[in-house]
Amino acid sequence: MSRTSSALERLANREYEYGFVTDIESDSVPPGLSEDVIRTISKKKNEPDWLLAWRLKAYRHWLTLADAEPTWANVHYDPIDYQKIVYYSAPRPKKKLESLDEVDPELLATYEKLGISLAEQKRLTGVAVDAVFDSVSVATTFKKELEKHGIIFCAFSEAVQRHPELVRSYLGSVVPYADNFFATLNSAVFSDGSFVYIPKGVRCPMELSTYFRINAENTGQFERTLIVADEGSYVSYLEGCTAPMRDENQLHAAVVELVALGDAEIKYSTVQNWYPGDEEGRGGIYNFVTKRGKCAGARSKISWTQVETGSAITWKYPSCILLGDGSIGAFYSVALTARRQQADTGTKMYHIGKNTKSTIISKGISAGHGQNSYRGLVRINKGAAGARNYSQCDSLLLGDRCGAHTFPYLEVMNPSATVEHEATTSKIGEDQLFYCRQRGISEEDAISMIVNGFCKEVLRELPMEFAVEAQNLLGVSLEGSVG
Amino acid sequence: MSRAETQPYLERFRRLEPSAAEPTWLHGMRDAAIERFAEFGFPSPRLEDWKYTSVRSIATSDFGGAPPARNPFSKRDVAFSLGGDFHGRILAFADGRYAPELSTIEALPEGVIAESLATALAGRPACIEPHLGRVATWDAPEDAFVALNTAFLGDGAFVYLPRGAVVEAPIGLVFLGLRNGAAPISQPRILIVAEAGSRATIVESYAGCGPDAYLTNAVTEVVVGAGASIDHVKLQCESGSAFHVSALQAQQSRDSRFASHAISLGAALARNDVNARIDDAGAEAVLNGLFVASAAQHVDNHTEIDHAKPHSQSRELYKGILAGRAHGVFNGKIIVRPDAQNTHAQQANDNLLMSEDARINSKPELMIHADDVKCSHGSTIGYLDESALFYLRSRGISAVEAREFMMRAFASEVTRAIGSAPVRTRVDELVTARLARGAPLEIA
Amino acid sequence: MLKITNLHAKVEGREILKGLDLEVRPGEVHAVMGPNGSGKSTLANVIAGREDYEVTGGEILYRGENLAGLSPEDRARDGIFLAFQYPVEIPGVSNMYFLKAAKNAILRHRGEDELDAVDFLEFARRKLKLVEMNEELANRPINEGFSGGEKKRNEIFQMAVLEPTLCVLDETDSGLDIDALRVVASGVNALRSPERAMLLITHYQRLLEYIVPDFVHVLSDGRIVRSGGKELALELEEKGYAWIEEHAAA
């Protein structure tokens, strides 16, 4: 590996571009977790009693889980002190904003720097953005436009005020408060996030997007996103995330719930670029996230596409509950672990309805000292006649100090099901590199090209705007302008 | 699991009277093993390696029954296990104890040893000490059954192949269980030591008859020397009411070859662990398996191939046919250690679900820590190819026959890899009979 | 254009080239023939700068410049093209995209304007005709799922697009049926020009019926043991390599 080590080294230890800190005054609660803290958060958000009760129920349950922090994942980290985390931090002053002009210019500049323009004239065309800064949503663009179609796209806390009946009927319906250690913690302390409702038969005319930014020190981000696609509707939703470079690890324990009713389709895409920590493994985000979608209605469809390049540790398994007959779940993932990053990620496909289908395409890239694990469950329940699953998990190794691991779990209880799983692991080929270089392409470009080719099946699932960002993140240039 | 479940074993251990002929180091090993077992208890489904298999029914049964004073089996039962064409040396065991009257002492090449472990422990402890209890691992809760076997280690088989020895005829080890209802436990220990350049086929065959329950808890340790080649066949035809737990651990030296063929047809609950550790360069491991289960049978196959050194190869194929309410498990782990460059590992698990209530859990795993490797695994689960079934029926074959025909064809990919012709023939006969009967076979 | 003097090279510690001399001038086509293991592919890879091949003595001058220490991509940008004996598959990377990147890297190196997508496509289409290759194939991932003949044709297509100065064809004829051979050869012939030199490396005389060389060299045990005109190839075909080896020993 010696000859290629320099180019691989650069790829493995590439600069983190989004590591700056925004100097802004914030309104934070003191570190630590208690019923009082939860009451404070709930009060700051002026929440109805039922929601506070739900949070407290979750918190009390979480207290019983003290020994149940998951240990089965193939990741290693020092125990987290949950009393040292700040559970709420918001930019101050947080008065009611009437228009974007009132958003703190410091914040607008922050998002500008991140490539997300919130200003009317410079917005990404065709993409509505909800910007979440630490614990709160600071701005949502194109709201009026969307309202014309009856689409609700707003901060979660706003939805609680304006559409309590919708929130109440779907909150926790896919990820119950007692689901797992981190989801339970989130249920107790979640601060903000996005809420989306697409009415019956409406095809959302633009991409909806949330941009998450952790800024404050020692702060955990616990956002909660809920997307409901009513019968026959369609929505494509994107999320992106970054955080400053800090030597301390920060916890991000989000929950995302998707509900697709009959014939509805939700496409959920993530480009995750939380701070990965430095070359020695200091700092970085612990990304412990629970994402699950329920294909509640017949022929509904949910697809998860993720490009995971950041975080010190990633622990997430975006899943689909295929309840409706003929419903379809998909999971497309690229996970890149460089430096000392660890990722244990994959999906769960629960086939419950008849003739349900799922596809899993997972591409793991390991460089530096990165450890990359695919962990996926395909479960075909007894009643899921005619269910089909196809899984493909490929790993690419760049360098000899990294690792790639595959842990698929296939559980089949119906004889008419067809389940296929394939996996391969290989290193980037010397022959491929030499071939490219003989044609005049530099070693670095050649590596990018090969990595890009390796990920292609996943990248093409992303909406165009995000595909570009994802490819840049993977250190590759945009392909496909020819042919 | 609760203390109470280990209690009968601890008490029995205290009453154990070691034979005077045994070497003293064995006592120390047994003491250490029972301590481990007491600490671990029976494995719980909370352990990842036992996730899909509950051994409650074993843990809560009392398998303390003394085996009958007189050996209830005959040579016919041995023939059932190995077939009529088997002409090698046979060591037979009844309820775990060596039965010379059932064994066949065919001559072996110079220096080759195949005798009961109790005899070997008394007669040549120095040959055994470097290997026994050192190849198989019993220091983690997952290995509680190996610890239990080690604690009660007494009899079994010892096979030794000196440098360069080639044994053409297979060596048969036959374990027969229970003819009348005393619920005994049999814990055979098998040690196979193949010195450099030697070659042999060894068949372990387990058979029994019901209707009462008994427990077999077998441990096999195989040391494959440089350039040696061992073909190991395990034919598990326990009665439908038996419990069968077994662990095989092979340790491979440079350029050696170890092939395991694990055929699992019987037992109410069967758990097979087959592990190969490649400790030196250039070695090859082949792990093949076939499991057939119906009614309420539960069969769990765990394999692990540990590539610790470079330039090694492994191929693995496990196939399962599950009918009735049977539950099958396949968990295959391939580990490639940081030094093991140029590893080539291929793993496949294919399963047929033949009924509405059958189920399978397949978990093929790759853990790769080296970069210059080619590793792949695949797993499929499905029903017989409907169009092939229709084709056969359109040629006048009945639906039942067509299904059996297709299942045999599915199974044959595993059985035809068995090198020894008489062994392969017997395995095929038993698989065919098992598929036709739709229930575990029993010795008459 | 190419002057190789007393070249020694090692692969995996074994000396393969043992003092090879060769001179190629612009416009010339040279064939290097020899039995298996004589060092033919080593010569091709050493010229292209493959790092597994260690030059232990002598030098290669290309257009008067010593190639030692130049990376494969620098040599490619200077106009050296190697048509691979075993073209490499690169899953997921479109052949056309790849070629456009390569072409522009070379143009950039020469200080010329890069081609945009439209211009490149038009340019490439003209070259496709040379090797009777259809556009669908050209757009597929590099060599993935290509037949042996398609891979070789693709090599010549790439050569046509990149417009090199020195073309080294490593066993381009191996594994080709007669029709494919004819197509590949006519593509190569179309690229012959007074400024461009070619080095055909081959085991068989067959290729030389279609691409007629100006000079033929016989390589044996890491050295050129005999050189001559195109008739030498025929003589070799008739008498076999054993004849040369005896001759060389004598």
Side-chain angles (χ1 to χ4, degrees):
Chain A
M1 223 52 233
S2 56
R3 279 191 317 282
T4 52
S5 64
S6 59
L8 291 178
E9 205 75 31
R10 280 195 292 280
L11 181 68
N13 293 320
R14 70 206 188 289
E15 281 295 310
Y16 185 72
E17 283 178 46
Y18 308 100
F20 63 90
V21 179
T22 306
D23 186 15
I24 193 160
E25 228 187 301
S26 57
D27 167 23
S28 305
V29 297
L33 187 52
S34 63
E35 291 207 0
D36 282 347
V37 168
I38 292 165
R39 285 177 204 280
T40 308
I41 295 173
S42 188
K43 198 164 169 215
K44 278 180 188 292
K45 297 186 164 291
N46 192 27
E47 282 175 356
D49 291 344
W50 62 264
L51 190 49
L52 174 62
W54 194 75
R55 286 175 181 278
L56 291 173
K57 198 163 56 172
Y59 175 65
R60 285 164 199 154
H61 181 69
W62 187 75
L63 290 176
T64 69
L65 297 177
D67 297 329
E69 188 170 334
T71 52
W72 41 261
N74 190 21
V75 295
H76 306 278
Y77 56 93
D78 292 334
I80 298 171
D81 184 346
Y82 292 92
Q83 292 307 333
K84 278 196 176 156
I85 294 173
V86 174
Y87 288 88
Y88 182 88
S89 174
R92 197 199 309 252
K94 172 69 181 159
K95 63 162 187 161
K96 197 87 196 96
L97 297 175
E98 292 307 320
S99 83
L100 272 175
D101 303 340
E102 294 175 39
V103 175
D104 190 324
E106 230 359 89
L107 280 178
L108 290 179
T110 297
Y111 283 93
E112 199 79 39
K113 217 164 151 184
L114 297 169
I116 309 293
S117 184
L118 301 175
E120 291 282 349
Q121 58 277 22
K122 283 194 277 179
R123 285 171 186 171
L124 281 168
T125 43
V127 184
V129 179
D130 182 20
V132 177
F133 193 86
D134 289 334
S135 304
V136 295
S137 167
V138 293
T140 310
T141 63
F142 288 112
K143 251 160 111 172
K144 294 253 152 56
E145 169 84 23
L146 292 168
E147 274 166 17
K148 277 190 243 159
H149 299 270
I151 293 167
I152 304 169
F153 177 43
C154 62
F156 200 96
S157 49
E158 188 184 332
V160 170
Q161 304 301 327
R162 295 181 51 190
H163 311 280
E165 66 303 330
L166 272 176
V167 174
R168 196 173 182 176
S169 54
Y170 290 106
L171 178 69
S173 71
V174 186
V175 181
Y177 73 87
D179 192 78
N180 68 70
F181 185 86
F182 297 114
T184 302
L185 177 62
N186 173 288
S187 302
V189 303
F190 76 89
S191 38
D192 217 335
S194 299
F195 177 80
V196 176
Y197 173 79
I198 315 288
K200 264 185 200 172
V202 170
R203 199 181 159 83
C204 184
M206 59 181 80
E207 309 278 351
L208 302 185
S209 157
T210 302
Y211 197 91
F212 295 99
R213 173 76 179 168
I214 295 180
N215 187 61
E217 210 166 348
N218 298 324
T219 301
Q221 191 168 43
F222 303 92
E223 84 274 5
R224 191 146 188 132
T225 295
L226 174 56
I227 300 177
V228 180
D230 213 326
E231 285 171 19
S233 66
Y234 167 86
V235 62
S236 169
Y237 178 92
L238 324 164
E239 73 173 5
C241 16
T242 56
M245 294 201 273
R246 294 190 191 281
D247 283 348
E248 305 293 317
N249 296 107
Q250 281 178 283
L251 178 62
H252 172 248
V255 170
V256 176
E257 297 180 276
L258 311 182
V259 180
L261 300 181
D263 294 299
E265 177 174 357
I266 302 174
K267 259 177 85 96
Y268 193 104
S269 311
T270 306
V271 175
Q272 184 265 106
N273 188 28
W274 294 118
Y275 177 53
D278 68 11
E279 283 158 41
E280 307 304 318
R282 268 189 307 263
I285 301 290
Y286 290 165
N287 191 33
F288 299 159
V289 171
T290 304
K291 291 182 168 179
R292 196 175 302 149
K294 182 155 80 179
C295 284
R299 296 169 304 279
S300 55
K301 194 174 169 187
I302 289 178
S303 75
W304 298 99
T305 304
Q306 60 173 29
V307 175
E308 303 281 322
T309 62
S311 296
I313 301 177
T314 296
W315 177 99
K316 70 182 263 203
Y317 314 91
S319 307
C320 297
I321 300 171
L322 303 171
L323 201 58
D325 289 349
S327 59
I328 296 173
F331 174 73
Y332 302 97
S333 170
V334 171
L336 180 133
T337 51
R339 304 186 184 205
R340 291 185 188 266
Q341 285 174 273
Q342 309 172 53
D344 194 298
T345 184
T347 183
K348 297 178 192 177
M349 294 289 174
Y350 298 94
H351 291 256
I352 299 168
K354 290 187 177 57
N355 299 314
T356 44
K357 270 200 283 198
S358 63
T359 303
I360 299 171
I361 307 283
S362 164
K363 305 279 181 175
I365 303 162
S366 313
H369 289 89
Q371 294 293 329
N372 210 323
S373 300
Y374 166 81
R375 188 182 303 277
L377 168 71
V378 174
R379 186 186 170 92
I380 312 278
N381 274 15
K382 225 167 133 37
R388 301 181 80 88
N389 160 267
Y390 174 73
S391 310
Q392 190 188 330
C393 305
D394 299 322
S395 306
L396 189 65
L397 295 155
L398 313 176
D400 54 7
R401 287 156 302 162
C402 50
H405 318 287
T406 319
F407 306 97
Y409 298 65
L410 314 177
E411 305 183 356
V412 181
M413 282 165 269
N414 187 297
S416 61
T418 311
V419 174
E420 278 178 83
H421 171 93
E422 284 178 52
T424 62
T425 302
S426 56
K427 77 167 197 165
I428 201 157
E430 292 287 335
D431 288 346
Q432 294 176 332
L433 279 179
F434 178 64
Y435 190 79
C436 295
R437 294 174 69 193
Q438 208 300 306
R439 296 300 183 254
I441 292 165
S442 72
E443 189 169 11
E444 257 161 275
D445 287 350
I447 292 171
S448 294
M449 218 179 248
I450 294 166
V451 167
N452 188 4
F454 175 75
C455 302
K456 192 164 201 169
E457 287 156 284
V458 174
L459 296 179
R460 71 168 171 233
E461 294 295 323
L462 285 174
M464 193 57 185
E465 295 79 3
F466 264 37
V468 179
E469 187 186 338
Q471 286 181 324
N472 286 336
L473 279 180
L474 290 169
V476 297
S477 57
L478 181 64
E479 193 197 326
S481 47
V482 175
Chain B
M1 294 220 168
S2 76
R3 298 282 116 195
E5 289 159 352
T6 56
Q7 216 47 51
Y9 295 91
L10 304 188
E11 270 163 33
R12 222 166 293 137
F13 183 83
R14 274 193 288 278
R15 291 199 305 269
L16 206 63
E17 283 172 37
S19 129
E22 280 171 6
T24 47
W25 53 260
L26 185 59
H27 304 159
M29 190 160 80
R30 284 201 195 111
D31 289 346
I34 197 73
E35 232 171 83
R36 289 347 291 271
F37 177 70
E39 178 192 329
F40 301 148
F42 285 96
S44 120
R46 289 183 61 176
L47 295 170
E48 185 67 23
D49 279 354
W50 290 84
K51 186 177 160 80
Y52 297 115
T53 297
S54 163
V55 295
R56 263 201 82 74
S57 44
I58 295 176
T60 55
S61 303
D62 182 14
F63 289 109
R70 220 175 57 86
N71 163 28
F73 299 102
S74 72
K75 283 219 171 186
R76 259 185 50 193
D77 302 327
V78 174
F80 168 89
S81 296
L82 295 175
D85 293 338
F86 194 94
H87 294 301
R89 173 170 294 197
I90 299 170
L91 304 178
F93 300 79
D95 291 315
R97 286 189 309 195
Y98 180 55
E101 63 280 18
L102 300 180
S103 303
T104 309
I105 305 304
E106 289 285 329
L108 289 168
E110 178 77 36
V112 175
I113 299 163
E115 62 189 14
S116 93
L117 184 65
T119 309
L121 278 168
R124 44 181 122 245
C127 291
I128 293 173
E129 191 186 359
H131 308 294
L132 189 71
R134 296 173 198 266
V135 180
T137 53
W138 38 280
D139 50 8
E142 290 78 9
D143 308 321
F145 278 101
V146 177
L148 182 62
N149 174 290
T150 307
F152 289 90
L153 198 154
D155 213 346
F158 174 59
V159 177
Y160 179 79
L161 307 167
R163 179 177 276 271
V166 174
V167 187
E168 290 299 345
I171 295 170
L173 311 173
V174 175
F175 300 88
L176 303 167
L178 190 74
R179 173 115 25 218
N180 47 28
I185 179 170
S186 119
Q187 303 204 67
R189 184 78 165 214
I190 296 136
L191 175 63
I192 300 168
V193 179
E195 299 284 5
S198 60
R199 183 157 57 87
T201 298
I202 293 146
V203 186
E204 273 177 48
S205 184
Y206 295 82
C209 46
D212 296 312
Y214 61 92
L215 169 64
T216 302
N217 176 29
V219 173
T220 304
E221 296 177 279
V222 188
V223 180
V224 193
S229 173
I230 293 294
D231 246 31
H232 182 270
V233 180
K234 190 187 139 199
L235 180 50
Q236 189 268 99
C237 261
E238 304 269 24
S239 86
S241 40
F243 296 90
H244 180 97
V245 180
S246 81
L248 180 151
Q249 176 75 53
Q251 180 185 304
Q252 295 188 247
S253 297
R254 175 174 284 270
D255 300 324
S256 64
R257 183 177 178 278
F258 174 73
S260 152
H261 309 268
I263 313 296
S264 191
L265 306 176
L269 185 157
R271 161 75 181 225
N272 311 306
D273 279 70
V274 179
N275 302 328
R277 190 165 55 237
I278 295 181
D279 276 341
D280 211 339
E284 183 188 4
V286 177
L287 302 192
N288 286 337
L290 171 70
F291 49 103
V292 180
S294 56
Q297 279 183 277
H298 179 101
V299 53
D300 181 346
N301 304 280
H302 265 64
T303 68
E304 182 177 302
I305 302 175
D306 188 344
H307 291 268
K309 290 287 150 64
H311 295 283
S312 61
Q313 277 191 52
S314 65
R315 276 178 293 130
E316 177 168 14
L317 173 66
Y318 265 71
K319 289 192 146 192
I321 302 175
L322 300 156
R325 282 165 290 131
H327 184 185
V329 179
F330 170 78
N331 188 337
K333 212 178 277 180
I334 291 177
I335 303 170
V336 180
R337 307 260 171 206
D339 286 341
Q341 298 294 0
N342 290 298
T343 293
H344 219 114
Q346 247 184 315
Q347 181 194 57
N349 168 231
D350 298 321
N351 305 285
L352 287 180
L353 289 187
M354 301 299 299
S355 75
E356 290 295 325
D357 296 314
R359 64 184 172 128
I360 175 79
N361 296 105
S362 173
K363 196 178 163 224
E365 297 176 47
L366 297 176
M367 302 181 75
I368 316 284
H369 295 276
D371 68 329
D372 196 357
V373 297
K374 260 194 190 155
C375 299
S376 65
H377 67 200
S379 181
T380 63
I381 299 163
Y383 183 65
L384 294 173
D385 179 354
E386 295 280 1
S387 57
L389 275 179
F390 177 75
Y391 181 80
L392 290 176
R393 294 174 67 189
S394 75
R395 296 292 178 266
I397 295 167
S398 77
V400 173
E401 276 179 303
R403 271 161 56 108
E404 272 179 46
F405 186 93
M406 299 272 296
M407 286 191 282
R408 282 205 304 273
F410 178 82
S412 70
E413 199 187 343
V414 173
T415 60
R416 70 167 170 248
I418 297 172
S420 160
V423 177
R424 186 173 59 240
T425 305
R426 186 55 186 160
V427 168
D428 276 332
E429 285 166 2
L430 289 171
V431 169
T432 302
R434 171 68 185 79
L435 290 172
R437 184 165 193 236
L441 302 169
E442 308 227 340
I443 52 182
Chain C
M1 170 175 299
L2 181 72
K3 190 166 194 299
I4 301 176
T5 325
N6 193 28
L7 184 66
H8 288 70
K10 271 188 183 171
V11 186
E12 287 172 2
R14 215 157 55 90
E15 185 162 59
I16 306 286
L17 297 184
K18 304 171 180 172
L20 184 142
D21 297 294
L22 181 67
E23 186 165 4
V24 179
R25 282 176 294 268
E28 292 177 353
V29 174
H30 290 241
V32 175
M33 303 184 68
N36 291 330
S38 60
K40 298 191 303 288
S41 278
T42 302
L43 175 62
N45 280 294
V46 165
I47 294 173
R50 186 159 190 145
E51 284 131 329
D52 317 343
Y53 294 75
E54 190 194 346
V55 174
T56 51
E59 60 174 17
I60 307 174
L61 294 180
Y62 170 66
R63 299 204 291 201
E65 190 191 355
N66 193 336
L67 289 181
L70 280 188
S71 70
E73 56 267 40
D74 286 336
R75 298 178 196 214
R77 290 168 191 174
D78 279 338
I80 294 176
F81 182 92
L82 172 64
F84 284 61
Q85 181 178 7
Y86 304 108
V88 178
E89 299 184 7
I90 308 181
V93 180
S94 134
N95 201 36
M96 284 293 235
Y97 168 74
F98 166 73
L99 260 183
K100 177 169 164 267
K103 179 77 186 171
N104 281 335
I106 292 168
L107 289 174
R108 214 164 35 240
H109 177 75
R110 290 193 199 144
E112 293 174 29
D113 287 342
E114 296 183 28
L115 294 174
D116 66 19
V118 178
D119 290 344
F120 177 77
L121 194 59
E122 197 186 318
F123 172 75
R125 276 182 181 147
R126 287 202 301 275
K127 304 294 181 187
L128 277 172
K129 293 209 181 75
L130 269 183
V131 285
E132 297 174 30
M133 198 159 122
N134 69 36
E135 207 171 317
E136 189 272 328
L137 194 64
N139 274 313
R140 291 223 305 249
I142 303 166
N143 295 322
E144 207 185 24
F146 284 32
S147 70
E150 285 169 342
K151 282 182 183 170
K152 293 295 171 78
R153 230 183 266 196
N154 191 26
E155 291 294 286
I156 305 305
F157 166 59
Q158 295 190 5
M159 185 166 110
V161 168
L162 300 180
E163 301 179 308
T165 318
L166 174 66
C167 308
V168 181
L169 286 80
D170 187 9
E171 309 254 0
T172 296
D173 52 332
S174 66
L176 291 187
D177 64 40
I178 199 74
D179 291 329
L181 183 65
R182 203 174 285 141
V183 173
V184 165
S186 81
V188 172
N189 283 328
L191 293 171
R192 290 177 78 153
S193 85
E195 300 81 40
R196 186 173 286 146
M198 294 195 183
L199 198 58
L200 309 176
I201 288 174
T202 181
H203 184 83
Y204 302 104
Q205 188 268 338
R206 190 175 71 145
L207 176 70
L208 307 183
E209 287 175 19
Y210 297 93
I211 309 173
V212 181
D214 302 307
F215 300 94
V216 174
H217 309 277
V218 180
L219 190 59
S220 173
D221 195 24
R223 258 184 295 245
I224 291 197
V225 292
R226 206 163 156 188
S227 298
K230 59 176 185 262
E231 62 291 339
L232 178 58
L234 288 170
E235 202 176 339
L236 261 181
E237 180 82 356
E238 223 169 87
K239 299 184 178 162
Y241 285 115
W243 164 69
I244 284 292
E245 274 158 19
E246 279 162 29
H247 220 74

